[in-house]
């Protein structure tokens, strides 16, 4: 069949290594559009974000398309102010209502289903199949859509996995213009960039709950491929980028990646990559990173410090190195093969502080760690939370800054090691977890926020993302930006050049007053 009109409905994804909730656009729409146009550039592709699809009665219009591609799957659920991800119910309903188009589901929802918590799956893959999706792509979507357009439905495999980035590198240059259809385009749009896939710790099985080791030996993009993608996006108007799709940015370019469990950072390659981006996207506004393994910093302090300095030299301020610490209970660390114990975690936070805590031109520290905790891991007892609280108290005591604390509950994903382990969490552990969350939200975070952005701090370049009940929420563009609450009404997605911090408003936000 000849396809001439294709609709991409972006239901948003949030994965450990990749974010697609506005203002972010992740790799899926860009890789898919590039793969389709690489075969037939006359095909009309319409990209629509799920918020518009939901509220503007898109169902009728969607029936005029030949193919409807749904991107979906929030693996690490958070609270979002930039958009509301598609729900399992909506996916089921829309798959039933759409009669004409060939319906394809991609992203984590197609791979693992949706709403997985404590081993219970609310929407399995079979549910989506039954609701009317013709294909669920569990492999790499760009491979499927390339073959669908070139060879037809019967010859395209939804299971194909890329072995290298050669096709991606050419597809992205063709597909980058799809960003022009994003609702945040021209305002606070930020593009998620992939540098490699997999995790070096796959050799030891990696962390028990993580899907990255299942991808096998890491494969890496070359500097040229990444820089050319950024240039192409830049030419199409992108001004904010996050190098967010990788397990540990510090080991990008390391000779040991794919060979050793703990590769040594290669600051020169990191510098070449960042320099290449800055040299081609001359007037970019934001260049941030995401995941960094604190274990890498603790094992290679000298090389990691050098690499962090290169990041601070070429990035933009307000950057966050997200540390997946998960737990500081030695028993939990051992059972789940986590990355760092207490001393190494403190050392890693200290080193990022040394290099990155000075204030940048937009009012935020250059680069701070963000800390991720995970509750419900095998081995957890009511004592676990005491270890985690001690660590946080030690940070306050040493006046070490962290940008934010993320507390997630264990999500058991098929085929991860944790899915075969005993992990029953009892009442006592649940109570202790609540105590921990209370400590973080009520005691730790307000104190930390007042150290990171003390009263009177001027924060620049914010975008209003949501308004209700006489207040608006504004944020800078970037990795885990701080929420600033502003009294009054502002049009959504309007720009505020600067605010002065009045007070810490909640554990995660400050109140600010706009200034000229
Ligand atoms: S270090 Fe652990 S959590 Fe991070 S990507 Fe590797 S396996 Fe996953």
């Amino acid at each position: 069949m000849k396809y001439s009109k294709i609709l991409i409905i972006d239901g948003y994804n949030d994965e450990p290594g990749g974010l697609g909730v506005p203002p972010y656009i992740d790799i899926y729409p860009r890789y898919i559009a590039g793969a389709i146009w690489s075969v037939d550039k006359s095909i009309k592709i319409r990209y629509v974000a799920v918020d518009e699809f939901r509220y503007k009665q898109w169902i009728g219009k969607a029936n005029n398309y030949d193919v409807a591609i749904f991107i979906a799957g929030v693996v690490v659920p958070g609270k979002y102010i930039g958009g509301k991800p598609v729900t399992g119910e909506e996916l089921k309903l829309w798959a039933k209502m759409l009669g004409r188009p060939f319906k394809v589901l991609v992203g984590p929802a197609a791979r693992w289903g949706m709403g997985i918590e404590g081993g219970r799956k609310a929407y399995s893959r079979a549910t989506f199949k039954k609701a009317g999706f013709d294909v669920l792509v569990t492999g790499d979507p760009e491979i499927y859509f390339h073959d669908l357009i070139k060879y037809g439905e019967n010859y395209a495999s939804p299971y194909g996995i890329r072995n290298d980035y050669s096709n991606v590198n050419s597809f992205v240059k063709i597909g980058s213009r799809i960003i022009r259809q994003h609702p945040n385009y021209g305002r606070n749009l930020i593009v998620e960039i992939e540098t490699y896939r997999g995790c070096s710790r796959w050799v030891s099985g990696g962390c028990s709950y993580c899907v990255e080791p299942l991808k096998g030996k890491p494969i890496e993009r070359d500097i040229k491929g990444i820089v050319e993608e950024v240039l192409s996006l830049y030419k199409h108007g992108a001004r904010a980028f996050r190098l967010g799709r990788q397990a540990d940015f510090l080991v990008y370019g390391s000779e040991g990646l794919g060979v050793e469990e703990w590769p040594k950072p290669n600051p020169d390659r990191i510098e070449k990559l960042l320099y290449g981006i800055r040299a081609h996207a001359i007037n970019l506004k934001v260049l941030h990173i995401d995941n960094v393994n604190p274990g890498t910093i603790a094992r290679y302090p000298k090389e990691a410090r050098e690499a962090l300095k290169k990041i601070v030299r070429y990035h933009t301020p307000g950057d966050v190195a997200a540390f997946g610490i998960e737990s500081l209970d030695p028993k939990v660390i051992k059972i789940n093969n986590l990355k760092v114990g207490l001393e190494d975690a403190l050392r890693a936070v200290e080193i990022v502080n040394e290099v990155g805590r000075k204030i940048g031109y937009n009012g935020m520290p250059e680069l701070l760690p963000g800390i991720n905790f995970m509750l419900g891991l095998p081995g957890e007892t009511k004592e676990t939370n005491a270890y985690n609280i001690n660590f946080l108290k030690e940070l306050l005591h040493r006046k070490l800054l962290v940008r934010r604390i993320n507390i997630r509950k264990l999500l058991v994903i098929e085929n991860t090691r944790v899915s075969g382990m005993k992990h029953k969490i009892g009442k006592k552990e649940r109570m202790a977890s609540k105590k921990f969350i209370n400590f973080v939200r009520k005691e730790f975070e307000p104190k930390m926020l007042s150290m990171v952005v003390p009263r009177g701090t001027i924060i620049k370049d914010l975008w209003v993302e949501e308004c209700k009940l006489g207040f608006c929420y504004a944020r800078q563009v970037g990795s885990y930006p701080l929420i600033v609450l502003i009294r009054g009404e502002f049009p959504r997605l309007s720009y505020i050049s600067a605010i002065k911090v009045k007070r810490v408003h909640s554990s995660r936000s400050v109140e600010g007053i706009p200034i000229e």
Side-chain angles (χ1 to χ4, degrees):
M1 168 170 182
K2 169 107 177 94
Y3 303 109
S4 56
K5 284 174 79 187
I6 294 179
L7 179 64
I8 299 177
I9 302 117
D10 194 345
Y12 314 144
N13 62 294
D14 189 356
E15 305 165 53
L19 179 60
V21 184
Y24 278 84
I25 184 165
D26 206 352
I27 56 170
Y28 297 109
R30 290 143 45 209
Y31 289 12
I32 292 169
I36 294 170
W37 282 327
S38 75
V39 180
D40 183 346
K41 58 180 186 304
S42 73
I43 292 177
K44 191 170 166 260
I45 304 179
R46 175 73 161 93
Y47 169 95
V48 58
V50 69
D51 289 298
E52 184 184 333
F53 190 88
R54 184 184 285 133
Y55 297 116
K56 293 202 177 156
Q57 309 295 326
W58 252 90
I59 276 288
K61 282 188 263 176
N63 266 320
N64 296 323
Y65 286 80
D66 304 316
V67 182
I69 304 163
F70 287 83
I71 299 163
V74 169
V75 181
V76 275
K79 283 192 184 135
Y80 307 103
I81 62 172
K84 184 172 172 273
V86 69
T87 64
E89 272 316 292
E90 285 174 327
L91 283 176
K92 271 171 63 184
L93 180 72
W94 295 337
K96 277 187 191 133
M97 287 172 81
L98 283 178
R100 176 168 172 253
F102 182 66
K103 296 176 285 292
V104 186
L105 182 63
V106 305
R111 277 189 209 119
W112 301 299
M114 266 173 95
I116 314 157
E117 196 161 333
R120 192 178 58 86
K121 206 174 293 169
Y123 299 93
S124 66
R125 300 180 66 245
T127 316
F128 293 133
K129 255 323 228 169
K130 212 170 134 203
F133 280 102
D134 297 290
V135 174
L136 271 61
V137 178
T138 53
D140 288 317
E142 79 276 3
I143 297 177
Y144 176 77
F145 287 103
H146 173 270
D147 292 356
L148 176 75
I149 304 304
K150 190 155 189 177
Y151 308 114
E153 221 174 290
N154 296 331
Y155 299 94
S157 163
Y159 313 112
I161 300 282
R162 71 178 86 102
N163 297 317
D164 59 42
Y165 282 97
S166 51
N167 284 337
V168 165
N169 286 345
S170 70
F171 293 163
V172 285
K173 287 187 265 175
I174 308 167
S176 55
R177 72 180 149 104
I178 201 78
I179 65 163
R180 291 174 176 270
Q181 298 186 42
H182 194 279
N184 298 68
Y185 177 76
R187 296 186 175 96
N188 57 345
L189 180 72
I190 174 161
V191 187
E192 187 83 299
I193 304 286
E194 182 166 15
T195 62
Y196 68 86
R197 79 143 32 135
C199 172
S200 59
R201 300 194 63 229
W202 74 296
V203 286
S204 72
C207 306
S208 66
Y209 58 88
C210 185
V211 293
E212 286 301 313
L214 304 179
K215 296 175 184 166
K217 187 173 169 168
I219 54 165
E220 194 183 57
R221 284 181 84 183
D222 57 11
I223 292 174
K224 187 169 174 274
I226 300 171
V227 170
E228 284 181 354
E229 180 185 15
V230 170
L231 176 61
S232 171
L233 289 159
Y234 185 77
K235 283 184 179 160
H236 283 290
R239 291 294 177 266
F241 304 90
R242 180 171 82 161
L243 300 162
R245 269 202 172 253
Q246 70 275 314
D248 176 7
F249 185 68
L250 287 189
V251 301
Y252 171 76
S254 165
E255 289 80 11
L257 182 64
V259 185
E260 297 159 30
E261 180 178 3
W262 294 102
K264 193 194 282 182
N266 183 338
D268 289 344
R269 293 264 338 260
I270 286 182
E271 176 163 38
K272 278 199 183 104
L273 171 66
L274 298 174
Y275 175 81
I277 292 173
R278 293 305 295 241
H280 287 84
I282 308 265
N283 285 319
L284 64 73
K285 297 271 183 280
V286 177
L287 180 59
H288 281 181
I289 60 162
D290 188 15
N291 299 324
V292 159
N293 191 332
T296 304
I297 303 179
R299 278 166 183 82
Y300 303 105
K302 185 167 154 265
E303 292 79 6
R305 195 180 275 109
E306 274 314 297
L308 291 163
K309 282 184 187 164
K310 306 290 187 199
I311 293 168
V312 169
R313 182 162 177 201
Y314 294 101
H315 80 158
T316 57
D319 202 354
V320 177
F323 284 1
I325 284 178
E326 320 308 355
S327 177
L328 289 153
D329 179 341
K331 193 172 150 210
V332 178
I333 295 171
K334 186 148 189 263
I335 293 177
N336 297 283
N337 194 26
L338 304 181
K339 295 139 266 193
V340 278
L342 178 72
E343 284 311 317
D344 282 352
L346 285 168
R347 190 79 197 107
V349 173
E350 224 163 47
I351 290 174
V352 177
N353 267 251
E354 266 171 43
V355 178
R357 72 182 281 160
K358 72 171 190 294
I359 304 297
Y361 59 77
N362 62 8
M364 293 302 290
E366 288 284 351
L367 171 70
L368 289 182
I371 309 286
N372 298 339
F373 284 107
M374 186 172 283
L375 302 177
L377 284 166
E380 189 175 306
T381 62
K382 64 181 175 27
E383 279 77 42
T384 300
N385 296 290
Y387 287 101
N388 296 339
I389 287 175
N390 281 346
F391 165 68
L392 296 178
K393 282 188 173 162
E394 194 54 31
L395 295 182
L396 290 174
H397 177 68
R398 298 191 195 186
K399 296 200 168 28
L400 291 170
L401 302 183
V402 295
R403 176 46 212 96
R404 60 110 185 95
I405 304 288
N406 215 344
I407 306 173
R408 293 173 293 157
K409 283 194 190 134
L410 170 68
L411 292 172
V412 180
I413 294 175
E414 251 170 57
N415 300 326
T416 53
R417 279 187 308 112
V418 83
S419 63
M421 290 161 83
K422 278 192 188 148
H423 58 280
K424 198 161 179 282
I425 294 299
K427 203 173 159 195
K428 279 186 199 155
E429 288 77 23
R430 274 200 295 273
M431 294 292 288
S433 294
K434 271 193 189 154
K435 236 172 104 183
F436 173 61
I437 295 171
N438 262 335
F439 169 79
V440 171
R441 303 290 177 236
K442 298 208 168 117
E443 281 189 49
F444 179 82
E445 284 188 321
K447 279 186 195 154
M448 183 53 71
L449 257 189
S450 59
M451 294 203 292
V452 176
V453 279
R455 195 187 155 116
T457 303
I458 309 284
I459 302 178
K460 294 181 182 162
D461 300 328
L462 301 110
W463 293 84
V464 173
E465 294 193 56
E466 196 182 30
C467 289
K468 56 184 175 199
L469 306 170
F471 284 98
C472 290
Y473 299 94
R475 295 189 296 185
Q476 293 179 323
V477 181
S479 240
Y480 312 99
L482 175 70
I483 299 173
V484 178
L485 199 76
I486 303 169
R487 281 171 203 268
E489 292 289 335
F490 294 84
R492 201 175 160 268
L493 297 186
S494 57
Y495 175 74
I496 294 180
S497 58
I499 62 99
K500 190 178 200 173
V501 173
K502 188 178 164 199
R503 66 182 175 106
V504 170
H505 171 261
S506 72
S507 63
R508 291 165 160 211
S509 60
V510 294
E511 185 180 339
I513 302 166
I515 50 174
E516 289 304 312

